[in-house]
Amino acid sequence: MARINENFLKLQAGYLFPEIGRRVKAFCAANPEADVIKMGIGDVTQPLPSAIIKAMHTAVDEMASSETFRGYGPEQGYGFLREAIAKNDYQQFGIQVDADEIFVSDGSKCDGGNILDIFGDDNRIAVLDPVYPVYVDTNVMAGHTGPADDNGRYEKLVYMAVTAENNFEPELPSEPVDIIYLCYPNNPTGVVATHAMLSKWVEYAEKNNSIILYDAAYAAFVSDPEIPRSIFEIPGARKVAIEMRSFSKNAGFTGIRCAFTVVPKELMGSTKSGEQHAIHTLWNRRHCTKFNGVSYPVQRGAEAAYSEEGKAQINELIDFYMNNAKLLREGLTAMGFEVFGGENAPYVWIKTPAETTSWEFFDHLLEKCHIVGTPGSGFGAAGEGYFRLSAFNSLENTEAALKRIQDSVSAGIQ
Ligand SMILES: *Cc1c(COP(=O)(O)O)cnc(C)c1O
């Protein structure tokens, strides 16, 4: 009989979003008249900017004519898109990233999992806690961990707790680690990393020969000029970091699918015997062997995100979501909640009131306010006692949700 990858059996059964879905479904079945506002899953809600739609339409029409039809494109992405990314996201800010260091893909989630193909099995891996679950689960699947303990923490992973107590600033690991996942602006906490904080990590990585996997999916939500958008703003980062970005959250591509990973040519990894190899070469080989490129119309759509019109429309989208974030942050703070994030990120992270657990607060919000959020404990043990609300919603829903929470607080059932 065919053998399975038994690492999959180590994965936690009640995965966060299915469990939320189950509870919401049960609630709606019992209360069919309830108008439930979903502020849980981190998906965008607004339609694509018209500049992007126009570019994709044109590209689809090109496919209809034998003169302009295109088949397979370069696996790494078309030059027009790689150059637009290098220029607009990096070079214009004085950050050195060349077009051939950019690998266009169908999503950062996929890149985050796929990148493990090029790393060995015996690396020490560090993640924040709470954490975007993809980093952990893909390492479990790849066999890089032992089983999970009662808190859901996997043996062999190094967890760096980020809570209000340490001001959401992870401490450097006390034992040397080889691979470090960082995500800023952060999902789920909505906090950002300062230049000083990232410099500390780059220094750590230089000293320990580690590699930082930097997830910058929310870079576009940073409006404070003092807050870095890219790890490559930090001197020395080209020797220690890979950066992943996506068009999902800024340009609304969650259903269109386009992202990219930046692998600097200086970045090296080592064999067991200490021989150095360029990560860029390995990733290029992996990408070309297992991936056949993002569809042409989608890459033209992504390119249009960098046109003058596209940039203006994306800024409007971001302002729209960040206004929701501001309303949530200010509204909840005024109601007496302890609120974090939501200033350069589309998530607010609130301390659950009166010692309630994350799941108790989830049930309370669902039953009393008909609002779905995300329990912090679903992102890791250190997320217990916290709760995530997303700014990806309509203004009407955001305002209605705040009013319902206010009414519930006023009624004293907070
Ligand atoms: C949404 C999100 C992404 C983007 O994933 P895609 O596969 O590109 O849609 C990546 N990282 C984090 C932390 C996210 O929240």
Side-chain angles (χ1 to χ4, degrees):
M1 188 177 276
R3 294 272 296 274
I4 60 161
N5 175 351
E6 293 182 28
N7 294 309
F8 278 65
L9 307 178
K10 295 178 197 160
L11 293 166
Q12 304 292 90
Y15 178 69
L16 180 61
F17 292 108
E19 177 60 21
I20 291 175
R22 199 187 60 72
R23 292 192 193 205
V24 173
K25 203 169 150 210
F27 176 80
C28 290
N31 303 275
E33 77 297 342
D35 170 27
V36 173
I37 300 179
K38 298 198 166 132
M39 307 181 87
I41 295 179
D43 195 358
V44 296
T45 54
Q46 301 309 110
L48 291 171
S50 63
I52 290 172
I53 291 292
K54 206 163 71 190
M56 289 202 292
H57 274 302
T58 306
V60 169
D61 286 340
E62 283 177 50
M63 293 302 224
S65 145
S66 54
E67 284 82 55
T68 47
F69 168 80
R70 303 199 189 208
Y72 289 125
E75 290 93 340
Q76 303 91 337
Y78 281 103
F80 62 76
L81 179 55
R82 299 172 89 192
E83 274 151 30
I85 293 168
K87 180 165 161 275
N88 290 282
D89 281 334
Y90 299 102
Q91 291 163 4
Q92 71 155 331
F93 303 113
I95 305 169
Q96 187 200 341
V97 166
D98 296 330
D100 63 355
E101 295 174 320
I102 290 164
F103 295 85
V104 176
S105 79
D106 57 350
S108 276
K109 187 187 203 176
C110 330
D111 286 349
N114 291 335
I115 199 86
L116 296 180
D117 272 6
I118 63 168
F119 290 109
D121 290 332
D122 40 10
N123 289 303
R124 292 290 285 171
I125 293 161
V127 294
L128 301 185
D129 178 7
V131 65
Y132 180 55
V134 175
Y135 314 149
V136 171
D137 288 0
T138 52
N139 275 289
V140 176
M141 290 173 179
H144 298 167
T145 75
D149 68 13
D150 293 343
N151 286 322
R153 284 183 158 187
Y154 290 93
E155 201 179 278
K156 297 213 307 206
L157 287 187
V158 175
Y159 290 88
M160 304 178 288
V162 282
T163 61
E165 280 71 45
N166 61 9
N167 211 11
F168 297 94
E169 222 186 295
E171 264 179 49
L172 296 175
S174 49
E175 53 197 310
V177 296
D178 306 301
I179 294 176
I180 303 148
Y181 286 85
L182 294 179
C183 171
Y184 290 107
N186 188 258
N187 180 9
T189 62
V191 304
V192 290
T194 60
H195 206 275
M197 199 172 136
L198 290 184
S199 299
K200 198 176 76 173
W201 279 106
V202 167
E203 243 169 70
Y204 173 90
E206 281 172 333
K207 211 168 91 201
N208 292 279
N209 292 316
S210 8
I211 289 182
I212 298 170
L213 300 180
Y214 194 75
D215 184 343
Y218 298 95
F221 293 83
V222 174
S223 57
D224 183 342
E226 296 298 310
I227 301 293
R229 289 184 173 199
S230 166
I231 185 101
F232 300 123
E233 290 179 41
I234 312 300
R238 285 181 56 85
K239 284 198 161 128
V240 298
I242 290 173
E243 179 163 291
M244 291 175 222
R245 287 213 198 178
S246 172
F247 294 94
S248 281
K249 309 297 164 45
N250 61 338
F253 271 47
T254 53
I256 299 288
R257 312 305 304 143
C258 196
F260 60 91
T261 287
V262 183
V263 187
K265 294 208 196 82
E266 290 96 306
L267 182 67
M268 306 299 275
S270 165
T271 62
K272 268 205 182 85
S273 60
E275 215 177 78
Q276 301 227 336
H277 287 270
I279 297 293
H280 185 277
T281 309
L282 298 184
W283 182 244
N284 188 51
R285 187 61 207 257
R286 206 267 31 151
H287 199 76
C288 295
T289 301
K290 293 197 183 180
F291 188 63
N292 243 343
V294 172
S295 84
Y296 173 67
V298 167
Q299 292 194 61
R300 281 296 185 197
E303 180 193 28
Y306 297 109
S307 67
E308 283 315 309
E309 199 189 353
K311 279 184 194 167
Q313 291 169 355
I314 284 176
N315 283 340
E316 261 175 58
L317 264 183
I318 291 183
D319 288 348
F320 173 82
Y321 291 126
M322 288 311 293
N323 180 54
N324 289 344
K326 183 171 186 278
L327 292 176
L328 287 173
R329 194 184 151 82
E330 292 177 354
L332 293 163
T333 304
M335 290 176 216
F337 287 93
E338 219 180 320
V339 184
F340 306 95
E343 279 181 314
N344 290 283
Y347 298 114
V348 295
W349 186 244
I350 62 178
K351 186 92 194 73
T352 56
E355 305 291 310
T356 48
T357 67
S358 299
W359 277 110
E360 281 165 0
F361 190 67
F362 173 91
D363 289 334
H364 170 87
L365 219 53
L366 179 57
E367 283 156 24
K368 299 291 191 295
C369 306
H370 305 170
I371 293 170
V372 183
T374 318
S377 57
F379 296 103
E384 181 56 271
Y386 291 91
F387 200 78
R388 191 188 77 177
L389 287 174
S390 160
F392 292 125
N393 220 319
S394 64
L395 176 61
E396 295 72 30
N397 278 349
T398 304
E399 286 174 335
L402 279 168
K403 170 133 193 349
R404 291 183 195 179
I405 300 172
Q406 175 68 70
D407 290 345
S408 147
V409 170
S410 305
I413 40 179
Q414 188 200 69

